[in-house]
Amino acid sequence: MEPKSLKVIYDDLYLTDYPTVSCEMPQRVQSIMRVLAEHYPVVKPSSATDNDLLLVHTQSLVNIVKSDPQLFRVAVAAAGGAILAANLACEQQPSFACVRPPGHHASPDSHWGFCFFNNVAIAVESLLKRRVIGSALILDVDLHFGDGTDNFFSGRREVTVANIQDNYREAFLRHVDEALASNQYDLVAISAGFDRHVEDWGGTLTTEDYFTIGRAVRDFAITKCQGRYFAVLEGGYNVNVLGENALALCQGMDNPVTP
Ligand SMILES: [Zn+2]
């Protein structure tokens, strides 16, 4: 099934300067949006509800994050962005959710690594629980292992969490293809970290490689899962290159090719 042209999901709440490490700064999403807003329509999500959070997290973790109201407000806005992206994907509407804080290090009962709630896990679990989809592939291309996502879906046969951990460029891209070829899924979610870029911490992938990843997911989704796919921002810390890298991924994901 042919997907529609790409949308970007964003909320000014993501610019909140909540207490976190200095590298996970509001300028990350600001630098991405400066580029993406020129190319794609931007939609604002609703924030996630407690019931959404509790699909993945324990009440005690929710309470810990809630104890800082400013942080909680941003964290539920980020989870809401991923939920909207997942819902749109099921209408053949691909999107890139430009959120912060990131989510893939958040486990059911704990959080670390600049993450608080697991945005992608909440979004995918919400679709599974509502029986909108029966299976999913989560392709995590961040530099770091998405332990939170892996912990939550561990033992669940209907969800494959593919953490691509190879540090050699060609092998990395081959593993992306292998993850996509390995099975049939109802939906593909990209945990889109850009910290593997040659000018970021990982020093492996080029900007063009993010286009290649987006295009591989798009082509797979069109032929194998009724055009259902979306991406959510995870890491990526060099604000000088984040915008062009996110644009490359979006151009790869878009259908037809971005003007
Ligand atoms: Zn990372």
Side-chain angles (χ1 to χ4, degrees), residues 37-98:
E38 286 182 13
H39 293 81
Y40 303 102
V42 178
V43 285
K44 186 180 162 181
S46 307
S47 293
T49 64
D50 278 23
N51 283 341
D52 295 326
L53 304 175
L54 292 169
L55 288 169
V56 167
H57 297 290
T58 60
Q59 185 69 60
S60 89
L61 181 76
V62 172
N63 291 344
I64 286 169
V65 182
K66 248 183 199 173
S67 66
D68 182 332
Q70 189 191 35
L71 167 64
F72 185 74
R73 211 159 62 105
V74 194
V76 292
I83 291 170
L84 177 59
N87 287 339
L88 289 176
C90 295
E91 300 166 10
Q92 285 70 45
Q93 171 63 76
S95 65
F96 174 79
C98 184

Side-chain angles (χ1 to χ4, degrees), residues 106-179:
S107 284
D109 193 37
S110 62
H111 71 84
W112 75 288
F114 332 150
C115 300
F116 299 92
F117 296 132
N118 196 315
N119 306 319
V120 169
I122 291 167
V124 169
E125 181 68 355
S126 170
L127 294 180
L128 289 164
K129 271 277 152 58
R130 287 181 282 135
R131 300 184 188 280
V132 180
I133 57 168
S135 63
L137 168 66
I138 299 173
L139 187 67
D140 192 326
V141 299
D142 193 274
L143 171 63
H144 305 96
F145 181 73
D147 56 320
T149 318
D150 196 67
N151 285 339
F152 177 68
F153 286 112
S154 142
R156 296 269 299 270
R157 286 182 52 210
E158 72 275 33
V159 179
T160 298
V161 182
N163 269 281
I164 313 294
Q165 290 292 294
D166 205 299
N167 285 326
Y168 293 94
R169 179 177 169 272
E170 289 73 19
F172 181 93
L173 294 172
R174 193 168 64 244
H175 288 170
V176 169
D177 285 335
E178 284 168 3

Side-chain angles (χ1 to χ4, degrees), residues 228-246:
R228 298 187 192 112
Y229 61 108
F230 67 97
V232 179
L233 179 64
E234 300 284 0
Y237 302 96
N238 182 350
V239 296
N240 297 321
V241 291
L242 265 175
E244 62 191 72
N245 290 336

